[in-house]
Amino acid sequence: MATAKFAEIKDHIRRHIESGEWAENSRVPSENQLAEQFGCSRMTARRALTELVEAGVLERSQGLGTFVASLKSQSSILSIRNIADEIKGRGHGYSVQVLELESIKAIAPIAIALGLEEGIGVYYSLLVHCEQGVPVQLEERFVNPELIPHYLQQDFGCQTPHEYLSLVAPLTEARHTIEAIMPKEQVRSRLNMAEGEPCLQIIRRTWSRQGVVSFARLIHPGNRFRLGGHLTFK
């Protein structure tokens, strides 16, 4: 029952926002008010609000309450860019190998990352992005089918997953972890790497206003990729 109430509260808040009834920066009902309205515990109401805050739908202000988040995008030290555009922007040829595109059963870590039940079907894609015919990124992506129902019908030889997801579920939030790894043999083979070469791995979760859209692992050969950015301090 708590799970049903939790989902009901989230849907109630999203409907009011998407209809325009609750505009940007409007205060939303408190945990106590939601608990009373939906006949549930404060913990259930708090969980609904917290997940909407994490998804970028709401914002909390200490001591003031919870508000509808601004629709304006925010800068990040690590920007989310379409790899095809990056490669073409350097004047180089872009190509992609689609290795897998299918529905699979979500194991626990994937289900948790997507906010779904373990064992539920999720969409899975595995691609190798190439620059001048040389592999520069192995993209392994798990996608929430409830939010992106037509993912498996896409031709990712013409449009990258990032391009498609940005079109049908505009990004509101992303979280990254970055680490250096030693790739397994299968990864080395797919990226045409010699034994002993390190990789840079980026783990990324992305949200739209409806919830978690995808969970991706992006692996780059260390000698073919670098991270950089520009920060302006005011």
Side-chain angles (χ1 to χ4, degrees), residues 45 102 144 231:
E102 61 183 339
N144 187 338
L231 298 177

Side-chain angles (χ1 to χ4, degrees), residues 4-170:
K5 290 291 184 183
F6 159 73
E8 189 178 346
I9 292 170
K10 290 179 70 175
D11 288 343
H12 169 79
I13 293 172
R14 286 197 185 105
R15 282 198 305 271
H16 279 74
I17 294 172
E18 291 168 4
S19 70
E21 185 175 348
W22 292 353
E24 291 181 44
N25 305 316
S26 298
R27 188 197 300 269
V28 302
S30 67
E31 293 173 8
N32 287 338
Q33 291 171 321
L34 289 169
E36 182 177 352
Q37 179 179 351
F38 288 90
C40 63
S41 68
R42 281 188 59 192
M43 183 178 298
T44 297
R46 183 181 304 118
R47 180 184 171 196
L49 290 174
T50 297
E51 290 217 354
L52 289 175
V53 168
E54 291 177 348
V57 177
L58 302 176
E59 293 179 342
R60 280 203 177 104
S61 181
Q62 189 67 33
L64 295 177
T66 306
F67 301 83
V68 177
S70 170
L71 295 176
K72 296 179 181 177
S73 61
Q74 298 184 16
S75 303
S76 171
I77 292 177
L78 180 61
S79 60
I80 307 272
R81 299 183 61 190
N82 180 32
I83 189 167
D85 291 339
E86 287 190 36
I87 291 171
K88 292 173 184 176
R90 292 192 283 267
H92 291 173
Y94 166 78
S95 59
V96 63
Q97 303 166 22
V98 180
L99 303 180
E100 297 183 43
L101 184 60
E102 61 183 339
S103 178
I104 64 171
K105 298 294 184 182
I107 60 174
I110 303 305
I112 291 170
L114 292 176
L116 300 172
E117 295 292 330
E118 184 177 355
I120 197 170
V122 300
Y123 296 152
Y124 174 74
S125 59
L126 184 67
L127 290 75
V128 176
H129 300 281
C130 302
E131 182 169 0
Q132 301 289 79
V134 178
V136 292
Q137 183 190 90
L138 178 66
E139 175 190 324
E140 182 178 39
R141 189 180 296 270
F142 304 87
V143 175
N144 187 338
E146 295 178 5
L147 302 184
I148 316 294
H150 304 300
Y151 187 77
L152 297 184
Q153 284 73 56
Q154 305 311 305
D155 180 359
F156 293 125
C158 299
Q159 182 182 45
T160 67
H162 173 75
E163 285 179 289
Y164 174 67
L165 295 176
S166 296
L167 178 66
V168 299

